[in-house]
Amino acid sequence: MMIRYFGTILLLISSLNASDWQERLHILWNQEPANLSLQKVPGAMLGPVSFLGKNDTLLLLDAASQSIIQFHNQEFIGRQLINMEGLEDFILYDKSFLVLAKQRLWEMSGNYKRQIHVEIPSLAVIKGLKLQEDQLIFTLSNGQRILTPKGKWPDFNLQNAEIIVRKSSPMNATVFRNNKSLFSLTGEEFGAIQPVKLNGNQLWLYVEIILKHKPLTVDRQLRCYSLSGKLQKAVELPRYQAHEIFREYQVSDDNLITLLFSNRKGLYILLLNAMDSDQVSFIPFPEQYHQTKPGEKSGLEEEFYHKTEYDKFPKESVSRQEALDIADTYYQHSWTASAANITNGQITDPDGNALETPEWVAVGTNYDFPYKWGGFNTCLLY
């Protein structure tokens, strides 16, 4: 079924009460007619990765079924197959979809498909696509962005992003606007800090706060600051998703937050009117949606995953103590890193995968095992 969806992209908007998350879409896994499911592949769980909305119409980019799925007033309308692996993000551009897959850009309209060459700086990856004032903008991981006037590609213009955040230490970061310092963030141990949206005199940032290292416990928040650095709102995001999502949230020009969220029950689009008061406040994520990390007790049940050939291989069982002993060998493992092993930010490997060295890795002897370095290697093979 062909999806026809033209016009300016807007976020879903409805009447909201202050600090209340509202459900704009709720789809149960493996239920007709949408039949959304998660696909388990080695090292990842695939599902919807991005979304677009206009009034009561919603589009999902689904990496599991490799398709664009359309809903209207929460009712399934149809899907357009695009048969492309590694789906990440998409936007509507005139009468075509621009689809980002494995860090490559494609223009798609019906059965028509062509790749568009985008010159990406070395060691950078595309973090998102958006249209703004008739310009197509690629947000990059290195603090730059690529712009092209509507209908003018491949005329791309590389420039620094207006807002950049630089960390000088795990507990200190500085926010810059056009290379001029605005304010600093201190007093907490930060993970990633990323600019989200500048709305006049209000700046939204995605902020990770490291609460504990072993086991790693991280709070994820969307924070709104004044340009002088005064914290106005802190919105809690879910700690875990049931699958990997490329574009998890959007912030509109009038500070409405739209969140794509998944748990063991299904997929949700949640909407929040965060800025209804001038007072500083913390807005928690709704308790009824909270879940444990996939694989933990009371977490995700295996039967709701879409099975693949990977699941058919026999798995040896181990006792609880054996599992702890194996884990301890990774925890105690010592190894040596050189400067060539440290990325100093996110880079792209030859296969198009995004890589980033954990901040605790230093030149010289290190202990513990960076997650998934070497894929599924044992300590000996590593």
Side-chain angles (χ1 to χ4, degrees), residues 60-69 79-83 87:
L60 294 176
L61 182 66
D62 184 24
S65 64
Q66 298 182 21
S67 64
I68 297 174
I69 306 172
R79 73 174 69 232
Q80 176 178 337
L81 293 175
I82 54 180
N83 296 320
L87 294 176

Side-chain angles (χ1 to χ4, degrees), residues 28 36 40 124 213 227 305 334:
L28 296 176
L36 278 179
K40 189 175 182 180
H213 284 268
L227 296 188
Y305 295 135
S334 64

Side-chain angles (χ1 to χ4, degrees), residues 36 60 137 142 150 153 166 175 191 236 270 283 342 356:
L36 278 179
L60 294 176
I137 301 176
N142 65 353
K150 197 171 183 178
W153 54 27
R166 296 192 180 103
V175 179
E236 183 184 27
L270 303 177
I283 302 175
I342 298 176
E356 185 171 4

Side-chain angles (χ1 to χ4, degrees), residues 357-370:
T357 308
E359 290 188 352
W360 57 267
V361 175
V363 174
T365 301
N366 292 267
Y367 295 89
D368 208 342
F369 207 96

Side-chain angles (χ1 to χ4, degrees), residues 18-307:
S19 303
D20 286 340
W21 288 97
Q22 303 289 316
E23 275 188 22
R24 301 302 296 148
L25 181 72
H26 178 200
I27 304 296
L28 296 176
W29 299 122
N30 301 316
Q31 297 291 315
E32 297 290 348
N35 200 27
L36 278 179
S37 66
L38 299 183
Q39 182 178 2
K40 189 175 182 180
V41 298
M45 195 69 66
L46 302 182
V49 292
S50 186
F51 64 97
L52 297 173
K54 180 188 178 184
N55 300 328
D56 293 322
T57 298
L58 179 71
L59 298 178
L60 294 176
L61 182 66
D62 184 24
S65 64
Q66 298 182 21
S67 64
I68 297 174
I69 306 172
Q70 182 177 2
F71 297 88
H72 182 75
N73 288 328
Q74 300 213 33
E75 296 294 328
F76 172 76
I77 302 299
R79 73 174 69 232
Q80 176 178 337
L81 293 175
I82 54 180
N83 296 320
M84 188 177 297
E85 294 183 348
L87 294 176
E88 295 168 315
D89 204 358
F90 73 139
I91 61 172
L92 191 68
Y93 191 81
D94 286 334
K95 297 181 180 181
S96 302
F97 287 108
L98 296 185
V99 178
L100 184 67
K102 292 186 175 180
Q103 290 295 293
R104 292 171 175 84
L105 188 68
W106 298 82
E107 181 182 9
M108 308 185 67
S109 180
N111 294 324
Y112 171 79
K113 179 171 69 174
R114 72 179 177 113
Q115 185 175 354
I116 298 170
H117 179 69
V118 183
E119 192 71 35
I120 303 297
S122 176
L123 306 183
V125 295
I126 299 174
K127 300 291 289 184
L129 310 174
K130 67 178 179 179
L131 280 175
Q132 181 176 306
E133 298 177 354
D134 286 335
Q135 292 224 81
L136 174 63
I137 301 176
F138 303 79
T139 304
L140 304 180
S141 60
N142 65 353
Q144 293 181 305
R145 59 183 181 176
I146 296 175
L147 296 87
T148 181
K150 197 171 183 178
K152 295 292 185 181
W153 54 27
D155 297 332
F156 296 108
N157 177 30
L158 178 65
Q159 61 179 233
N160 289 330
E162 183 176 3
I163 301 295
I164 297 175
V165 181
R166 296 192 180 103
K167 288 174 59 179
S168 56
S169 72
M171 300 189 68
N172 192 293
T174 303
V175 179
F176 294 85
R177 183 180 186 184
N178 295 325
N179 293 320
K180 294 183 179 180
S181 174
L182 287 179
F183 57 89
S184 295
L185 302 175
T186 60
E188 298 169 294
E189 184 174 358
F190 298 109
I193 305 176
Q194 299 167 356
V196 176
K197 190 173 181 69
L198 179 62
N199 280 341
N201 293 322
Q202 295 173 321
L203 174 62
W204 285 93
L205 299 176
Y206 169 80
V207 180
E208 294 177 350
I209 303 99
I210 299 176
L211 303 179
K212 187 165 57 174
H213 284 268
K214 300 183 190 309
L216 183 63
T217 306
V218 179
D219 264 355
R220 306 190 313 128
Q221 298 176 7
L222 286 177
R223 291 185 175 184
C224 184
Y225 290 89
S226 70
L227 296 188
S228 63
K230 179 182 178 182
L231 178 62
Q232 298 179 342
K233 295 288 178 180
V235 179
E236 183 184 27
L237 296 174
R239 287 188 181 177
Y240 304 113
Q241 298 271 16
H243 72 286
E244 296 186 13
I245 298 177
F246 189 85
R247 179 144 51 100
E248 181 183 8
Y249 48 78
Q250 299 177 29
V251 179
S252 71
D253 292 341
D254 47 0
N255 296 312
L256 291 174
I257 298 173
T258 311
L259 176 71
L260 179 61
F261 170 69
S262 65
N263 62 17
R264 63 185 178 86
K265 296 179 180 179
L267 187 80
Y268 303 80
I269 296 285
L270 303 177
L271 187 63
L272 173 71
N273 186 356
M275 302 300 294
D276 198 53
S277 169
D278 292 332
Q279 298 179 359
V280 174
S281 63
F282 173 77
I283 302 175
F285 189 68
E287 185 65 32
Q288 66 266 30
Y289 298 113
H290 271 297
Q291 64 178 38
T292 55
K293 188 175 182 180
E296 294 178 350
K297 291 183 179 179
S298 73
L300 305 176
E301 290 87 356
E302 283 293 320
E303 59 265 24
F304 94 103
Y305 295 135
H306 172 70
K307 299 296 183 181

